[in-house]
Amino acid sequence: MVKRHRIQFPKSELSNLNQDEAYFYLQGSGGNRKIRFHDYDEIYQVQGLYEQIFYDRLKCTSPTKVTSILESAVKQSQDNFSELRILDLGAGNGMMGEELKKHGVSRLIGVDIVDEAYDATIRDRPGIYDAYYVDDFTKLDDDKKEEIISWQCDCMVTVAALGFGDIPTKAFIEAFNIIKSQGWVAFNIKETFFDASDESGFSKMIRELIFSRYIDIYYIERYRHRLSIEGEPLYYFAIAGRKNSDVPDEFLASKGIMA
Ligand SMILES: C[S@@+](CC[C@H](N)C(=O)[O-])C[C@H]1O[C@@H](n2cnc3c(N)ncnc32)[C@H](O)[C@@H]1O
């Protein structure tokens, strides 16, 4: 059985902090260690800590939600969910992979930018992924790209990994362009990314992509992604659609988005 950790949330209100600046203390024999929510490398090194914080305590529902809307979208077509060959971008320690595998999928390829995510997946969920690459999709070299393309993925998912300094536009578009045309795309984003007032490159890209001819949207659902550290619901959109064709650089440039 995985050990429970002694974790403590800070005493003072954190509502004025950005979501990516939130932190907690891990209590141990050496004293209290302060860890930010975005210190994934540190979190993954401690077995069960990621699950305890985000799933047990903060009630994250996103892998289940994104899997269910993807399944509903695929059901509207002639395709079979169990035949999907899925690229999981920002796979972390395999929470989404585990959810997808419960439903049965044909191939599952994980990608993350930190070594610790891969190590934790092998330690905690061995055998979930057919291959798992630690790479930066903004600088994918040609050999690695060819290798990933050779898995012939016809679906990409990315869960709890977009925005907040995580997966940037260029990496998202690279993955989108790696999967086959007529392939499936499912991801979640914080609801504020849909505000026209959010001028960040990632928000603009998502808004432009959703209304573009490169994708047909099948589902958009607002739901509670998880609780904040203060116990407030954090709302996200889960989105599923079908890719029509690759997004060319010119499209992003014409919208004033830096890829
Ligand atoms: C909150 S975790 C989500 C992990 C998993 N998808 C889940 O639902 O539990 C975000 C993950 O995105 C990864 N990530 C951040 N930036 C990335 C990038 N540029 N390319 C690939 N992965 C990235 C982080 O290392 C981290 O493992």
Side-chain angles (χ1 to χ4, degrees), residues 40 44 50 55 63 90-92 95 112-114 159-161 166-168:
Y40 299 120
Y44 293 143
Y50 182 82
Y55 288 83
M95 299 298 284
D112 204 284
I113 202 164
V114 298
V159 173
D166 282 339
I167 292 170

Side-chain angles (χ1 to χ4, degrees), residues 119-237:
D119 295 341
T121 303
I122 297 300
R123 180 191 64 210
D124 303 336
R125 294 178 182 81
I128 284 273
Y129 293 92
D130 295 284
Y132 193 118
Y133 298 95
V134 176
D135 235 303
D136 181 349
F137 261 40
T138 62
K139 307 183 195 117
L140 210 52
D141 70 47
D142 289 346
D143 289 348
K144 189 59 77 61
K145 189 168 170 175
E146 277 313 309
E147 189 180 333
I148 296 173
I149 290 174
S150 71
W151 284 101
Q152 302 174 53
C153 290
D154 54 10
C155 179
M156 81 174 261
V157 295
T158 177
V159 173
L162 300 176
F164 301 112
D166 282 339
I167 292 170
T169 300
K170 189 169 182 175
F172 182 89
I173 297 292
E174 181 80 287
F176 185 93
N177 288 348
I178 279 177
I179 65 161
K180 291 180 176 175
S181 292
Q182 305 310 311
W184 298 93
V185 180
F187 56 94
N188 69 342
I189 48 168
K190 197 171 185 199
E191 61 174 353
T192 51
F193 287 176
F194 273 0
D195 288 350
S197 60
D198 185 338
E199 283 289 294
S200 67
F202 196 86
S203 287
K204 273 166 89 178
M205 182 274 286
I206 288 294
R207 292 196 299 263
E208 294 292 352
L209 181 66
I210 282 173
F211 294 107
S212 78
R213 64 192 147 97
Y214 304 109
I215 188 169
D216 288 332
I217 297 297
Y218 280 54
Y219 271 96
I220 297 188
E221 186 178 327
R222 184 175 181 268
Y223 72 103
R224 196 194 76 190
H225 160 60
R226 66 168 170 83
L227 299 174
S228 75
I229 213 162
E230 316 299 346
E232 294 152 1
L234 295 175
Y235 290 104
Y236 274 50
F237 285 105

Side-chain angles (χ1 to χ4, degrees), residues 32-161:
N32 278 1
R33 203 165 110 207
K34 179 177 170 179
I35 303 181
R36 286 184 328 130
F37 276 18
H38 270 50
D39 295 333
Y40 299 120
D41 48 350
E42 279 194 63
I43 296 177
Y44 293 143
Q45 283 179 52
V46 183
Q47 188 171 25
L49 184 58
Y50 182 82
E51 290 84 341
Q52 191 175 329
I53 295 276
F54 294 105
Y55 288 83
D56 297 348
R57 181 116 188 219
L58 300 179
K59 312 286 176 221
C60 178
T61 59
S62 288
T64 328
K65 175 56 71 183
V66 175
T67 302
S68 82
I69 63 155
L70 175 62
E71 200 173 26
S72 305
V74 173
K75 269 193 191 140
Q76 291 184 42
S77 74
Q78 303 292 317
D79 293 357
N80 287 322
F81 192 89
S82 60
E83 289 172 19
L84 292 181
R85 305 171 70 97
I86 303 183
L87 183 66
D88 181 5
L89 180 63
N93 60 353
M95 299 298 284
M96 182 60 178
E98 187 169 73
E99 186 61 32
L100 290 165
K101 270 288 164 87
K102 279 187 205 160
H103 295 245
V105 293
S106 161
R107 298 285 187 288
L108 194 51
I109 312 303
V111 177
D112 204 284
I113 202 164
V114 298
D115 287 315
E116 290 81 357
Y118 169 79
D119 295 341
T121 303
I122 297 300
R123 180 191 64 210
D124 303 336
R125 294 178 182 81
I128 284 273
Y129 293 92
D130 295 284
Y132 193 118
Y133 298 95
V134 176
D135 235 303
D136 181 349
F137 261 40
T138 62
K139 307 183 195 117
L140 210 52
D141 70 47
D142 289 346
D143 289 348
K144 189 59 77 61
K145 189 168 170 175
E146 277 313 309
E147 189 180 333
I148 296 173
I149 290 174
S150 71
W151 284 101
Q152 302 174 53
C153 290
D154 54 10
C155 179
M156 81 174 261
V157 295
T158 177
V159 173

